[in-house]
Amino acid sequence: MSDSATTTNTDETYEEFLQRVERRHNVGAAAGVLRWDQEVMMPEGGTTARSGQLSALSAIGHELLTDEEMAEWIETLRDADLDDERTAVLREVGREYDRATSVPTDLVEEMSAATSEAHPQWTEAKEESEFETFALALERLVELNREYAEHIDPNRPAYEVLFEEYEPYLGLETADRVLTELREGLVPLIEDVRESDVELASPFDGEYPANDQEELARTVLDELDYDWEHGRLDTAPHPFSTGTQFDARVTTRFDESEPIGALSSTVHEFGHARYTQGLPKEQYGTPLGQSRDLTVHESQSRFWENHVGRSRNFCERLVPLIQDHLPGTEDLSTEALYEAANEVYEDNLIRVEADELTYHLHIVARYEIEREMIGGDLDVQEVPAAWNDTYEEYLGIRPENDAEGCLQDIHWSHGSFGYFPTYSLGSVLAAQIDAAMRDDLDVDGLVADGEFGPIREWLREEIHQHGARYTTGELIERATGEPLTAEYFLDYVESKYSDLYDL
Amino acid sequence: MSDSATTTNTDETYEEFLQRVERRHNVGAAAGVLRWDQEVMMPEGGTTARSGQLSALSAIGHELLTDEEMAEWIETLRDADLDDERTAVLREVGREYDRATSVPTDLVEEMSAATSEAHPQWTEAKEESEFETFALALERLVELNREYAEHIDPNRPAYEVLFEEYEPYLGLETADRVLTELREGLVPLIEDVRESDVELASPFDGEYPANDQEELARTVLDELDYDWEHGRLDTAPHPFSTGTQFDARVTTRFDESEPIGALSSTVHEFGHARYTQGLPKEQYGTPLGQSRDLTVHESQSRFWENHVGRSRNFCERLVPLIQDHLPGTEDLSTEALYEAANEVYEDNLIRVEADELTYHLHIVARYEIEREMIGGDLDVQEVPAAWNDTYEEYLGIRPENDAEGCLQDIHWSHGSFGYFPTYSLGSVLAAQIDAAMRDDLDVDGLVADGEFGPIREWLREEIHQHGARYTTGELIERATGEPLTAEYFLDYVESKYSDLYDL
């Protein structure tokens, strides 16, 4: 066979393969719309039908990834000489293919059934604050996940393999290093904050109607130049962002006694949506038009939430917007808003309500516990005690019950183990990106002037436009010039909190 | 092989077949959610991705219906001895299978491409009121639809075959008979109305904010006991209803100078949604849990819109609700509302704005024109003139341009020929159902008392609970005791309009 015939065959195979990849992506994106609808729009009684629809799409997506045609295309293409772009697409799809085909269908179904059973048990356990109610289901999920990981790679610790579901390329070693740096840096810093005489307090003590807060959230999104032609804002019980580069939606929620939560969650979700909207449109349907997993996604939300949103200059821009929308805020000052947005909550036990500083000890605690639990070094029955001890050690506070302790988060009930670290990795990366951006841009000056265009453009250029073309590590090094490190994050919080708390 | 072994095999085959049918239904229902979202929620820029998602689901649905496994199951089951329920499921799925497999994939793709091209041309033609801009695309769609019909049944006229896409069982002969009865009955009645000295006028001459109208629409849906746990109300440019028995949603739109339009469209869509909500939940995913096509669906919407909604007693219930919600309606009387809701618009050229009486001549006109066009007796180029002549003959009015003439409706640009008759068949069936219901219930008294429960229950019992178990004709005969006839509709309008217009 001549060289050109081989090329033609490869081209044809790649074309067929790519069409399949695109179809599968479309099925996944359709499921994304259905899940958005379920959280935001669906009437309560719609659950039965919606579950059926989502199961069907999930099964179809699995078949589109794992059937014989796909196996042949991937085998052929792995032997072919592909350009960089095709190599990247094949790497991403091939990775998913390998994982999906190494796990027996029976196990996948068993896991899906166990998760469906576990979720209501967790809900009940949390309501009753009774870990026992969830313990058996959790044990079962732990066992099944160990088995799952063993099918994928019997030669590595199960937790390492599970972590790669959420962050495929950085490696657990990197996560462990970063989380250790965070723990070592943050535990003493938080102690110093505790011992400081400074007490920051919220200036918000009134009632702030949800409607007013929603108008404010829209104005803030306008200020950041959120692309409304490719997105929308709604309310949801747990804020999230979802969609594609053509339609990246955000949600938030409103606490009528406290407006900062909705503001920061809106800016956080904006960061996620901005990433999604910045993915190349012409690559829709392929990995080159998809985001680079959870670490990078979280870096985008945290960059906007913390490095822009919690800055003094952004607070200065926010004050008149808040005054325009929320009653009784005529006397709000920039400094008061800045302090409230950065207050360290000394006795908060709940991760999703944590401040920027203590947040990571919530993550470290979960990481250590779930790693031991999956590794078999911690019995499921011992989780509540281990949880409470860890909180006491790292944060100096002890949960009084399981609802505010080890039952607070939904992730385990979904059978997700290894997800939590990506939250901290994302924050750490956000600080590293912020530092790299400051080599090119006067970020403070731009935020002060409300000129977010160059910031968005920097992120698009360095991160968004690449989709999943590069592995996480490659993308980080290209954008920031060095591998992931907690150094920038620790510098950033030490400087900010020393100033705020007179340390 | 023993009898019991055969039975077991049949059971297994049926089970596999049914799982496939359910999966395909779920894919279709997912597409329904995506289309709802597209009309109601999606940001403008989402179109490209949404088209990709809908195409993928449509192709997958087609494959799930037509692949080799399905072919074998259907063949096996057609030879087996099935109970009534299974026979009905097989009849419905088999009918779709036969149609889908008789048309070559190339032609389906060609039709899909031609429709995608035709739609913007129709939009442009309508905007410019220039039929020429759409003529070529329409000719192409007509040709492709003829070809399509010939693949399905080369021995019958194409229009007859196309009509069965929308109403599979009644037969074009029945439609033709009913439409002829309507034309013969309505043309003289409308002439009498025209000659009457009575002039009905709307009491609404103010501004009625959309928000107030929306609250009113919600109150009216409450009054009818719309099941909000399994549905929701939104606004859309063209009102529609969609969903499943678990989640049947309605939409409406608001004209701030005229509140009756939104009220009647809300009650109309309520009728559709009520049918969907009344389908048996335990049969979700099978034809026994799906509605009986367009004639019966339209009968449900028209029953509520016209026989309940436009009745004097319902108007009496509406008056205080309107007064509660709309400014400047303190002096509104039942009689004024009743007259406004039933006014015959003498010079209206637009189908979707037509009154209950002239509406059917709009349908008869389209039916005659598209039947001749598909049959080759009317050249596409001659459509505008034929349209205008027909309107002049039947309605005594002549469109001044194509935008208010033959370009007004979207259906042809979607490649839908044969859809229109079902609108009139549905109205006629609504009157027949109304008459049958009156044998069992004091409908007027119940409406006067706001007791809609027995009416809803009658419809559920006689129509909704059966899904697509019976053919259209069987269902009509079971519910009303006789085949479809225009007699009841003509009696109803003659009596109502004689009274209103002193004929």
Side-chain angles (χ1 to χ4, degrees):
Chain A
M1 203 184 278
S2 76
D3 269 11
S4 90
T6 311
T7 309
T8 311
N9 281 348
T10 301
D11 283 350
E12 274 170 20
T13 304
Y14 186 80
E15 224 20 80
E16 289 181 308
F17 162 77
L18 194 67
Q19 276 182 23
R20 169 65 65 83
V21 168
E22 287 171 350
R23 175 175 285 192
R24 177 166 171 262
H25 179 73
N26 273 315
V27 170
V33 177
L34 264 61
R35 276 191 295 265
W36 175 87
D37 183 86
Q38 182 162 10
E39 294 299 317
V40 180
M41 295 291 162
M42 192 184 81
E44 217 182 316
T47 310
T48 308
R50 185 55 49 87
S51 302
Q53 292 150 16
L54 284 169
S55 298
L57 296 187
S58 161
I60 289 165
H62 182 81
E63 287 163 22
L64 290 172
L65 178 63
T66 58
D67 76 358
E68 280 176 33
E69 275 185 311
M70 195 63 150
E72 280 170 33
W73 293 327
I74 287 178
E75 200 184 338
T76 306
L77 292 171
R78 278 179 169 164
D79 288 339
D81 186 27
L82 304 177
D83 64 20
D84 287 355
E85 201 165 279
R86 291 181 176 187
T87 302
V89 170
L90 182 64
R91 179 194 66 225
E92 292 301 315
V93 179
R95 191 184 162 277
E96 285 194 89
Y97 169 84
D98 288 340
R99 285 179 87 94
T101 51
S102 57
V103 181
T105 312
D106 287 359
L107 179 58
V108 173
E109 280 167 12
E110 231 177 317
M111 289 175 81
S112 165
T115 309
S116 299
E117 275 173 43
H119 185 66
Q121 281 166 357
W122 167 76
T123 308
E124 197 190 324
K126 189 177 174 181
E127 271 167 24
E128 297 169 350
S129 191
E130 185 60 64
F131 181 74
E132 261 322 303
T133 307
F134 179 51
L136 270 179
L138 180 58
E139 257 175 47
R140 180 92 186 108
L141 288 172
V142 166
E143 272 167 34
L144 289 168
N145 272 278
R146 275 190 208 129
E147 218 182 301
Y148 175 83
E150 195 168 328
H151 281 289
I152 292 170
D153 190 342
N155 301 315
R156 290 193 297 148
Y159 189 73
E160 201 174 308
V161 175
L162 294 175
F163 169 69
E164 292 168 7
E165 293 277 308
Y166 309 103
E167 172 40 63
Y169 295 109
L170 282 179
L172 189 61
E173 207 180 336
T174 300
D176 188 77
R177 173 175 55 74
V178 167
L179 291 170
T180 305
E181 285 171 39
L182 283 176
R183 195 191 62 218
E184 288 172 355
L186 291 175
V187 169
L189 180 60
I190 291 166
E191 271 172 28
D192 290 348
V193 168
R194 291 248 159 92
E195 283 161 17
S196 160
D197 294 333
V198 177
E199 287 211 13
L200 307 183
S202 170
F204 298 102
D205 55 4
E207 279 281 304
Y208 308 97
N211 278 349
D212 294 339
Q213 290 196 50
E214 186 178 337
E215 281 311 307
L216 174 60
R218 288 183 189 281
T219 306
V220 171
L221 289 173
D222 285 342
E223 172 82 9
L224 295 169
D225 207 14
Y226 176 62
D227 179 359
W228 294 104
E229 204 186 318
H230 297 97
R232 48 178 291 137
L233 170 72
D234 296 274
T235 55
H238 301 281
F240 67 102
S241 163
T242 187
T244 71
Q245 52 268 66
F246 290 95
D247 181 1
R249 305 178 183 187
V250 295
T251 62
T252 188
R253 64 176 163 191
F254 304 104
D255 174 346
E256 298 205 324
S257 68
E258 194 287 293
I260 290 183
L263 280 173
S264 43
S265 97
T266 301
V267 177
H268 179 97
E269 300 307 336
F270 164 81
H272 281 304
R274 187 65 234 168
Y275 183 11
T276 308
Q277 288 174 339
L279 296 166
K281 291 198 167 49
E282 67 282 6
Q283 292 286 4
Y284 173 76
T286 89
L288 303 182
Q290 285 155 39
S291 60
R292 176 70 290 161
D293 297 287
L294 298 189
T295 304
V296 179
H297 233 308
E298 191 71 5
S299 78
Q300 299 304 293
S301 57
R302 292 297 182 184
F303 173 82
W304 286 99
E305 180 192 355
N306 295 335
H307 296 274
V308 174
R310 288 198 156 84
S311 71
R312 201 174 252 116
N313 289 353
F314 193 71
C315 288
E316 191 167 355
R317 296 201 68 81
L318 273 180
V319 167
L321 305 181
I322 293 175
Q323 288 172 334
D324 272 359
H325 288 92
L326 303 188
T329 55
E330 300 77 13
D331 298 331
L332 182 67
S333 71
T334 296
E335 202 52 32
L337 179 60
Y338 176 66
E339 290 181 5
N342 288 290
E343 186 188 347
V344 176
Y345 310 120
E346 307 207 349
D347 52 2
N348 170 54
L349 288 157
I350 306 300
R351 179 183 61 84
V352 296
E353 293 167 9
D355 53 84
E356 200 182 349
L357 208 54
T358 56
Y359 185 85
H360 300 285
L361 298 181
H362 290 268
I363 297 300
V364 170
R366 282 158 182 71
Y367 160 68
E368 292 179 356
I369 289 166
E370 66 179 14
R371 186 173 179 169
E372 287 188 18
M373 186 168 67
I374 296 290
D377 302 318
L378 178 70
D379 200 86
V380 165
Q381 295 293 341
E382 294 162 16
V383 163
W387 186 284
N388 297 349
D389 292 347
T390 309
Y391 266 68
E392 187 145 21
E393 186 187 344
Y394 294 161
L395 284 159
I397 46 175
R398 195 176 178 89
E400 290 188 2
N401 59 57
D402 297 337
E404 58 179 33
C406 65
L407 291 172
Q408 66 181 266
D409 282 309
I410 203 172
H411 303 59
W412 291 345
S413 84
H414 284 161
S416 299
F417 303 96
Y419 188 118
F420 287 117
T422 63
Y423 289 127
S424 285
L425 299 182
S427 292
V428 158
L429 178 55
Q432 186 168 337
I433 286 170
D434 180 63
M437 189 187 288
R438 280 166 200 271
D439 291 342
D440 301 333
L441 299 178
D442 170 18
V443 175
D444 291 331
L446 290 166
V447 172
D449 296 341
E451 288 289 335
F452 302 102
I455 297 175
R456 288 197 309 271
E457 188 49 32
W458 193 99
L459 293 170
R460 200 193 62 75
E461 184 85 15
E462 299 292 335
I463 313 273
H464 308 172
Q465 67 157 329
H466 302 303
R469 180 184 297 257
Y470 305 115
T471 64
T472 317
E474 286 166 3
L475 186 67
I476 293 173
E477 291 213 35
R478 288 178 63 101
T480 71
E482 58 188 312
L484 187 65
T485 165
E487 193 187 314
Y488 296 99
F489 178 80
L490 289 170
D491 286 352
Y492 154 73
V493 289
E494 269 158 28
S495 152
K496 179 156 95 173
Y497 287 93
S498 295
D499 170 50
L500 274 162
Y501 282 91
D502 279 343
L503 308 182
Chain B
M1 202 185 280
S2 77
D3 270 9
S4 91
T6 312
T7 308
T8 309
N9 280 348
T10 301
D11 283 350
E12 275 170 18
T13 304
Y14 186 80
E15 225 19 80
E16 289 183 306
F17 163 78
L18 195 66
Q19 277 183 23
R20 168 65 65 84
V21 168
E22 288 170 351
R23 173 174 287 192
R24 178 167 171 261
H25 179 73
N26 273 315
V27 171
V33 177
L34 263 59
R35 276 190 295 266
W36 175 87
D37 182 85
Q38 182 162 11
E39 294 299 317
V40 180
M41 295 292 161
M42 192 184 79
E44 216 182 314
T47 310
T48 308
R50 187 54 50 87
S51 302
Q53 293 150 17
L54 285 168
S55 298
L57 297 186
S58 161
I60 289 165
H62 182 81
E63 286 163 21
L64 290 172
L65 177 63
T66 58
D67 76 359
E68 279 176 33
E69 277 185 309
M70 194 64 150
E72 281 170 31
W73 294 327
I74 288 179
E75 201 185 337
T76 306
L77 293 171
R78 277 179 171 164
D79 288 339
D81 188 25
L82 303 177
D83 64 19
D84 286 356
E85 201 165 279
R86 292 180 175 189
T87 303
V89 171
L90 182 64
R91 180 194 67 225
E92 293 300 316
V93 179
R95 188 183 164 279
E96 284 192 89
Y97 169 84
D98 289 341
R99 285 179 87 94
T101 51
S102 56
V103 181
T105 312
D106 286 359
L107 179 58
V108 173
E109 281 167 13
E110 230 178 318
M111 288 175 82
S112 165
T115 309
S116 298
E117 276 173 42
H119 185 66
Q121 282 168 356
W122 168 76
T123 308
E124 195 190 326
K126 190 176 173 184
E127 270 166 24
E128 297 169 351
S129 190
E130 185 61 62
F131 180 74
E132 260 323 301
T133 307
F134 180 51
L136 270 179
L138 180 57
E139 258 177 46
R140 180 91 187 108
L141 287 172
V142 166
E143 272 168 33
L144 288 168
N145 272 279
R146 276 191 205 127
E147 219 183 301
Y148 175 83
E150 194 168 329
H151 281 288
I152 292 169
D153 190 343
N155 301 316
R156 290 192 299 148
Y159 189 74
E160 202 174 307
V161 176
L162 293 175
F163 169 69
E164 291 168 8
E165 293 277 309
Y166 309 103
E167 171 41 62
Y169 295 109
L170 282 179
L172 189 63
E173 207 179 339
T174 301
D176 189 77
R177 172 176 56 73
V178 167
L179 290 170
T180 305
E181 284 170 39
L182 283 175
R183 195 191 63 218
E184 288 171 355
L186 291 174
V187 170
L189 180 60
I190 291 167
E191 272 171 28
D192 290 349
V193 167
R194 292 248 158 91
E195 283 161 16
S196 159
D197 294 334
V198 176
E199 287 212 11
L200 306 184
S202 171
F204 297 102
D205 54 5
E207 279 282 304
Y208 308 97
N211 279 349
D212 294 340
Q213 290 196 51
E214 186 176 338
E215 281 313 304
L216 174 60
R218 289 184 189 281
T219 307
V220 170
L221 289 173
D222 286 342
E223 172 84 9
L224 295 169
D225 207 15
Y226 176 62
D227 179 357
W228 293 104
E229 204 186 318
H230 296 98
R232 50 178 289 137
L233 170 71
D234 296 274
T235 55
H238 302 280
F240 67 102
S241 163
T242 187
T244 71
Q245 51 268 66
F246 289 95
D247 182 1
R249 305 178 183 186
V250 295
T251 62
T252 186
R253 65 176 163 192
F254 304 104
D255 174 347
E256 298 205 325
S257 68
E258 193 287 291
I260 290 183
L263 281 172
S264 44
S265 99
T266 302
V267 177
H268 179 97
E269 300 306 336
F270 164 82
H272 281 303
R274 186 66 231 166
Y275 182 12
T276 308
Q277 288 174 339
L279 296 166
K281 290 197 169 46
E282 68 282 7
Q283 293 285 4
Y284 173 76
T286 88
L288 304 180
Q290 285 155 39
S291 60
R292 178 66 292 163
D293 297 286
L294 297 188
T295 304
V296 179
H297 233 307
E298 191 72 4
S299 78
Q300 300 304 293
S301 57
R302 292 296 181 184
F303 173 83
W304 286 99
E305 180 191 356
N306 294 336
H307 296 273
V308 174
R310 288 198 156 83
S311 71
R312 201 174 253 116
N313 289 351
F314 193 72
C315 288
E316 192 167 357
R317 296 202 68 81
L318 273 181
V319 166
L321 304 182
I322 292 174
Q323 288 172 334
D324 272 359
H325 288 92
L326 303 188
T329 55
E330 300 78 13
D331 298 332
L332 181 68
S333 71
T334 296
E335 202 53 29
L337 179 61
Y338 176 66
E339 289 181 3
N342 289 289
E343 184 188 348
V344 176
Y345 310 119
E346 308 209 348
D347 53 3
N348 170 54
L349 289 158
I350 307 300
R351 179 183 61 85
V352 295
E353 293 167 9
D355 55 84
E356 200 182 349
L357 208 54
T358 55
Y359 185 87
H360 300 285
L361 298 181
H362 290 267
I363 297 300
V364 170
R366 282 159 183 69
Y367 160 68
E368 293 179 355
I369 289 166
E370 66 179 15
R371 185 173 180 169
E372 287 188 19
M373 186 168 66
I374 296 288
D377 302 319
L378 177 70
D379 198 86
V380 165
Q381 296 292 341
E382 292 162 16
V383 164
W387 186 284
N388 297 347
D389 291 348
T390 310
Y391 266 69
E392 186 145 22
E393 185 186 346
Y394 294 163
L395 283 159
I397 46 177
R398 193 174 180 91
E400 290 188 4
N401 58 57
D402 297 337
E404 60 180 30
C406 64
L407 290 173
Q408 66 180 267
D409 282 309
I410 202 170
H411 303 58
W412 291 345
S413 85
H414 284 162
S416 300
F417 303 96
Y419 189 116
F420 287 117
T422 64
Y423 288 126
S424 284
L425 299 181
S427 292
V428 158
L429 178 55
Q432 188 168 334
I433 285 170
D434 180 64
M437 190 187 288
R438 281 166 198 272
D439 291 343
D440 301 334
L441 300 177
D442 170 18
V443 175
D444 291 330
L446 290 166
V447 172
D449 296 341
E451 288 288 336
F452 302 102
I455 296 174
R456 286 197 310 271
E457 189 48 32
W458 193 98
L459 292 170
R460 201 194 61 76
E461 185 84 16
E462 299 292 336
I463 312 273
H464 308 172
Q465 68 156 329
H466 301 304
R469 179 183 298 257
Y470 306 113
T471 63
T472 317
E474 286 166 4
L475 186 67
I476 293 173
E477 290 213 36
R478 288 177 63 101
T480 71
E482 59 187 313
L484 187 66
T485 164
E487 193 187 315
Y488 296 98
F489 178 81
L490 289 169
D491 286 354
Y492 153 74
V493 290
E494 269 158 27
S495 151
K496 180 156 97 172
Y497 289 93
S498 296
D499 171 48
L500 272 161
Y501 283 91
D502 279 344
L503 307 182

